[in-house]
Structure formats: C-alpha cells, structure tokens
Amino acid sequence: MKQHESERFIADLNTVSRLCAVENYGDARSILKLMTEVLRYEYHRRFQLVPIGTELRAAEDFLSLYTARFADRLVSSVSNPEDGTVSFVPHYTVLTFVKNSLYHAFTGTEPPWRVSIRVEDYQNQTTIVISDNGCGFDPSLYVGLDRSPIEQGSDTDYGSIPSTVARLASYYGDRYSLDVQSTSETGTQVVISVPKG
C-alpha cells in the first residue's frame, strides 16, 4: 500500500474510531463493512473486466465511506438504468475518476462538494458520465490519454488516469471513447463510452 493510500486508510479508521466513541456502534459497524467491501474490491478484482453494475456498487460504497466522514459537505448520486443489459468496464474505471474527485478536486473549494455518476444506454453503447464541482485540472498533462495499451498484468500506477485509459484501450481498442472536460469554474466531467454487451 502506497504512503498516501495508507494515510487515507488511517483517516478512514479514524472515522470509525470517532463513530465508536461518540456516536453509536451500529454506524461504526456499517462503516467497517463498507471499508471491507471497498478494500476487497480494490485488491481482488484487479485486471478483470467487470459488469458496470459491479463497478457502480463499489463506487457507491466508496462515496458512502466519504459521506460518513464529511456528512452534508459531500453530496453524491449514482444513477444506473435497470433495463436488463449488461456492459463491462475494466476494474477501477469509474473508481479512478471518483477517487480523483474526492482526493484532488475539492482542494481549496467550499462545500457542498458534489460527485455524480450517471449511466445511459444507447443502441450499441453504454455511456458513463462522472462529474464533480471541484477545482478542475488539465487532462492534457496526463500521459496515457493517447490510449496506448499496457501489458496485461502490469501494476504500474494502477488506478491512475493513464493506467485506466491504457486498460480501456487494451480491452476495447478503438471501440471505446473517453472525453474529459474540466475547468476551474465548472469542475470536471468525464464521459466514457464502451460497447454494450
């Protein structure tokens, strides 16, 4: 576990500790369960192609964990159509951008902080829209947005934007699209489209 990841993990444990000490056992137990599910998903599904619904549930768990910490300063929503279709994404595709929002987008900004995930199905494509109202960033600074595939099993910077883009390219070639629009005024919107089915 990298140092910054372990620091965040400790912060999550501190959230649980606070709940145990000053609130109630039931809430603390729920947070511990969320932490377990998030960690299990993060480390046990690497390099797999997973159903979008599975990735969205992991993102919901992660957002719930941060809502417990930030309360009404963080507002999140996850919308997934229940039409019976199944599309797949590389593990950590959605979570990469959700984590970037929570770890970086809100630095120096005033709450409420907002993160939303929306899934839309079209004829042959499923589109995932991840947005926040944060400080924005320059997507062109991230090596890897050129869609260069990586070697299967490479763990270099797993969960980073370049790694995520490379894994999309490895699985889908030119059959996917990724668009990142980001400004300091409007925040960031990431639109990912993958083949349906």
Side-chain angles (χ1 to χ4, degrees):
M1 190 178 287
K2 297 176 183 176
Q3 182 177 356
H4 64 280
E5 290 176 342
S6 62
E7 289 170 356
R8 291 178 182 128
F9 183 71
I10 290 168
D12 292 338
L13 290 175
N14 285 336
T15 300
V16 175
S17 177
R18 186 192 75 241
L19 287 168
C20 288
V22 300
E23 296 186 21
N24 68 67
Y25 170 77
D27 285 348
R29 185 176 180 186
S30 296
I31 296 301
L32 281 171
K33 184 177 179 183
L34 282 173
M35 289 175 63
T36 302
E37 292 301 320
V38 166
L39 288 170
R40 181 179 292 121
Y41 184 77
E42 180 169 353
Y43 292 104
H44 290 184
R45 300 297 296 267
R46 287 190 170 206
F47 300 105
Q48 295 182 24
L49 201 60
V50 299
I52 286 177
T54 301
E55 182 81 359
L56 291 178
R57 282 191 295 278
E60 281 185 293
D61 287 347
F62 192 80
L63 287 165
S64 295
L65 197 58
Y66 273 74
T67 300
R69 183 186 303 175
F70 295 117
D72 58 3
R73 290 177 291 168
L74 175 63
V75 179
S76 65
S77 64
V78 178
S79 173
N80 184 23
E82 298 292 338
D83 66 353
T85 62
V86 177
S87 297
F88 295 84
V89 291
H91 169 263
Y92 239 64
T93 297
V94 175
L95 275 167
T96 291
F97 294 101
V98 170
K99 281 192 166 189
N100 269 281
S101 293
L102 293 172
Y103 293 169
H104 307 296
F106 304 128
T107 303
T109 66
E110 292 295 320
W113 304 310
R114 302 184 186 279
V115 178
S116 70
I117 307 168
R118 186 176 78 250
V119 177
E120 300 170 350
D121 277 333
Y122 298 101
Q123 288 184 346
N124 299 312
Q125 295 279 313
T126 298
T127 298
I128 309 159
V129 181
I130 306 143
S131 58
D132 66 53
N133 65 337
C135 60
F137 71 102
D138 182 357
S140 69
L141 297 177
Y142 286 83
V143 177
L145 289 179
D146 62 354
R147 301 157 66 119
S148 301
I150 59 171
E151 292 182 17
Q152 187 70 9
S154 171
D155 201 34
T156 304
D157 296 325
Y158 194 94
S160 68
I161 293 174
S163 169
T164 299
V165 172
R167 284 182 288 112
L168 280 162
S170 293
Y171 282 109
Y172 288 117
D174 60 0
R175 296 183 301 132
Y176 86 96
S177 64
L178 175 92
D179 180 62
V180 181
Q181 301 292 326
S182 188
T183 71
S184 57
E185 291 79 22
T186 62
T188 300
Q189 179 173 272
V190 177
V191 182
I192 304 165
S193 290
V194 297
K196 188 183 284 189

